[in-house]
Amino acid sequence: SAVISQKPSRDICQRGTSLTIQCQVDSQVTMMFWYRQQPGQSLTLIATANQGSEATYESGFVIDKFPISRPNLTFSTLTVSNMSPEDSSIYLCSVAGAGDYEQYFGPGTRLTVT
Amino acid sequence: RKEVEQDPGPFNVPEGATVAFNCTYSNSASQSFFWYRQDCRKEPKLLMSVYSSGNEDGRFTAQLNRASQYISLLIRDSKLSDSATYLCVVPRTPPGTYKYIFGTGTRLKVLA
């Protein structure tokens, strides 16, 4: 499986600021996703990062709040904008290959908003 | 019925015991299923994929019951290192979508 890294691994941010999280894969992948895992909860899909086009957002998530870029097949960023304490979560990227439903997750970014 | 439902546990079992978790799903059209393991403060890691009636890998067996719409995960000869949260995952239909629906997870504690 692909090796996935995320930066930063953790951060503490003040409300009203923005944070950009990077996801880097060591090989080209077809699909990249961004998830959120709030404290004590399971994972919720935020959006599918599409290479060269706008991301596809799930219900309850909007581009203004979570802009996503995917300039190529190995890299994506997620920005958490105008943060509030409710955005405190672990944010994870995942990848999947073409025709492969199995997803593999990055190590996550632990975000605390004060 | 929820899209994916799991008993949250915790399941506390002694070393060497056999333990089984169930996961029910609501969409009868679902074709593939996954079990992930998540250790505390770590990312989920793929444990098993289930595309037909079941799958076995060492001490771990996953079984699918389409008629009753549940999948189970059986762990034999439990080890201390098996302590983790086990997440049931069902891709969202229609078939071909990569979008996962996660269960809330079942927490397992294996006791010495």
Side-chain angles (χ1 to χ4, degrees):
Chain A
S1 60
V3 176
I4 308 165
S5 60
Q6 283 187 234
K7 288 181 182 178
S9 58
R10 59 177 60 230
D11 209 340
I12 300 173
C13 301
Q14 293 202 343
R15 68 174 70 205
T17 63
S18 298
L19 176 71
T20 295
I21 302 167
Q22 298 179 4
C23 178
Q24 179 75 55
V25 193
D26 69 343
S27 58
Q28 292 187 344
V29 291
T30 304
M31 310 293 294
M32 293 183 80
F33 305 90
W34 286 98
Y35 287 82
R36 179 172 76 180
Q37 186 171 28
Q38 295 182 301
Q41 305 291 316
S42 193
L43 283 78
T44 302
L45 180 63
I46 297 172
T48 304
N50 299 311
Q51 192 258 329
S53 64
E54 194 170 286
T56 305
Y57 290 84
E58 296 300 302
S59 176
F61 297 96
V62 295
I63 188 171
D64 290 346
K65 176 67 176 177
F66 297 101
I68 288 170
S69 78
R70 190 176 172 194
N72 55 51
L73 294 177
T74 63
F75 184 78
S76 178
T77 67
L78 167 75
T79 298
V80 186
S81 302
N82 188 24
M83 288 183 283
S84 68
E86 292 71 35
D87 294 321
S88 297
S89 278
I90 300 172
Y91 292 86
L92 299 111
C93 68
S94 75
V95 304
D100 181 0
Y101 299 131
E102 297 173 350
Q103 291 185 28
Y104 298 91
F105 287 84
T109 296
R110 185 175 295 271
L111 171 62
T112 302
V113 184
T114 60
Chain B
R1 177 183 268 188
K2 287 185 180 178
E3 289 182 294
V4 181
E5 196 159 9
Q6 293 182 252
D7 182 340
F11 284 62
N12 297 323
V13 302
E15 263 187 300
T18 295
V19 62
F21 314 133
N22 276 351
C23 168
T24 59
Y25 60 94
S26 62
N27 192 328
S28 59
S30 297
Q31 297 293 315
S32 55
F33 309 86
F34 304 95
W35 283 102
Y36 280 77
R37 170 198 170 122
Q38 186 171 29
D39 292 286
C40 187
R41 303 175 82 85
K42 298 284 190 181
E43 75 273 22
K45 294 193 174 168
L46 181 63
L47 181 65
M48 298 191 78
S49 306
V50 185
Y51 293 105
S52 57
S53 61
N55 194 4
E56 184 171 333
D57 183 6
R59 298 183 293 109
F60 298 85
T61 301
Q63 290 192 320
L64 169 62
N65 184 316
R66 289 192 189 275
S68 300
Q69 293 182 212
Y70 74 84
I71 56 172
S72 62
L73 178 68
L74 181 78
I75 305 175
R76 290 180 296 276
D77 188 23
S78 298
K79 311 291 185 192
L80 294 175
S81 57
D82 294 333
S83 297
T85 297
Y86 291 84
L87 301 168
C88 171
V89 176
V90 180
R92 191 172 293 162
T93 54
T97 183
Y98 293 86
K99 296 182 180 181
Y100 276 5
I101 303 171
F102 278 82
T104 52
T106 297
R107 196 165 157 213
L108 172 66
K109 288 184 180 180
V110 180
L111 308 171

